[in-house]
Amino acid sequence: MQLRVHYLPESVAAEPESLATDQVEHGTAVVIDVLRATTTIVHALGAGARAVIPCLTIEDARAAAGALPSNGVVLGGERGGRSIEGFDLGNSPAEYVPRIVAGKTIVLTTTNGTKALLQCAGSERILMGSFVNLSALCSVLAGRQNVDLVCAGTDGQITREDVLVAGAIVDRLTVEPSSTEPEWELNGEAWAARDAWLAVVTGATDGELTARLIEAMRASRGGENLIAIGMSGDIELAAQIDRFTIVPRFDPVSGRIEADPAPGHMA
Ligand code: MLT
């Protein structure tokens, strides 16, 4: 069982063996853009959106939204962290509430998150990772064979906040290996991500955990970008571990992300 972390989506493409045919068949990719695309997607589906359609460009997003009945679609996204002119919503998880998104299809374009997602389209199963769905995601991953955790980064640069989510997943999956299953084989980035996570959380009581996480994310590249544009509240939302029990899954054929209920959890 292989558990690999990729600090940037480009490293998935640069390692053909990580997406070799036999592994694609059985492989699961988890896209992580905790500030904020994957957190926002979990919020949107958790608030009752029917699906999220990720688009690479603003033009693609406008066209995808235009092809759907106007009373059933919400157009969201960001460039430079800010809302896009003419769009209904930005990329803040706080905006994706039931009153606005329940029963709607969200068409979403973000700078790095949607790009990373579309780059993983060759994997058999593509899931979204964040702190707000950490346990639900890990319960799905626990039964898988080959898992690639793909951090979105920012404009080709590694971002610590995504590495921390990857580290939290690695830690959860490796801390109590099942006695009936072989242990995970980790790549170097998986070990390092786990170390980064443990450096933040070791010794924290349950009450201190969120505060430590917020502090670490505020000091990260994505956190600094959000603080600079007055959106630091989104960091606090992104640090709410297990607020949701859904696992968003992207189907490259339909181009839609829908919620997979986690085993043993209510959606
Ligand atoms: C992205 O996809 O680049 C991010 O989610 C950026 C953001 O939310 O500002």
Side-chain angles (χ1 to χ4, degrees):
M1 297 197 320
Q2 304 268 346
L3 177 54
R4 291 170 292 238
V5 171
H6 306 268
Y7 285 173
L8 289 172
E10 288 78 2
S11 91
V12 178
E15 287 175 38
E17 71 275 12
S18 71
L19 289 176
T21 316
D22 61 336
Q23 293 181 350
V24 170
E25 261 175 47
H26 306 290
T28 299
V30 178
V31 179
I32 301 167
D33 183 7
V34 66
L35 296 177
R36 297 167 290 177
T38 51
T39 299
T40 297
I41 290 166
V42 176
H43 267 256
L45 296 173
R50 295 164 74 90
V52 177
I53 299 177
C55 293
L56 266 184
T57 67
I58 294 173
E59 295 69 32
D60 288 352
R62 286 206 169 103
L68 294 166
S70 60
N71 60 355
V73 67
V74 172
L75 186 53
E78 57 70 37
R79 283 298 178 269
R82 295 192 163 86
S83 306
I84 300 163
E85 207 186 320
F87 276 39
D88 305 307
L89 300 178
N91 191 30
S92 170
E95 295 174 277
Y96 290 75
V97 292
R99 183 175 56 81
I100 298 173
V101 304
K104 303 282 170 73
T105 299
I106 314 298
V107 176
L108 186 74
T109 180
T110 73
T111 317
N112 303 284
T114 46
K115 204 162 121 196
L117 175 59
L118 295 168
Q119 208 149 344
C120 293
S123 293
E124 183 212 352
R125 181 183 284 240
I126 306 160
L127 307 174
M128 315 290 112
S130 65
F131 287 121
V132 297
N133 70 338
L134 182 63
S135 295
L137 174 68
C138 289
S139 65
V140 171
L141 296 180
R144 310 298 301 176
Q145 283 295 320
N146 290 304
V147 174
D148 288 283
L149 307 179
V150 181
C151 301
T154 297
D155 299 329
Q157 303 287 312
I158 294 167
T159 46
R160 186 162 180 250
E161 71 274 15
D162 293 337
V163 173
L164 289 176
V165 176
I169 296 168
V170 174
D171 189 45
R172 287 278 184 100
L173 293 179
T174 54
V175 87
E176 282 172 11
S178 146
S179 56
T180 56
E181 283 180 5
E183 287 186 25
W184 292 101
E185 202 178 300
L186 308 187
N187 70 352
E189 283 161 283
W191 285 111
R194 183 166 172 258
D195 288 348
W197 165 250
L198 291 176
V200 170
V201 300
T202 299
T205 61
D206 282 353
E208 289 164 349
L209 185 61
T210 308
R212 290 233 196 145
L213 208 46
I214 291 169
E215 190 187 347
M217 286 205 283
R218 284 182 67 90
S220 70
R221 184 185 298 271
E224 284 175 354
N225 290 345
L226 287 175
I227 292 166
I229 58 172
M231 293 185 154
S232 63
D234 287 352
I235 300 171
E236 288 165 32
L237 281 178
Q240 293 179 357
I241 293 178
D242 292 342
R243 176 166 172 176
F244 296 96
T245 56
I246 54 166
V247 181
R249 180 174 178 181
F250 177 53
D251 173 3
V253 177
S254 68
R256 292 162 70 87
I257 302 168
E258 294 181 3
D260 257 6
H265 287 85
M266 295 276 290

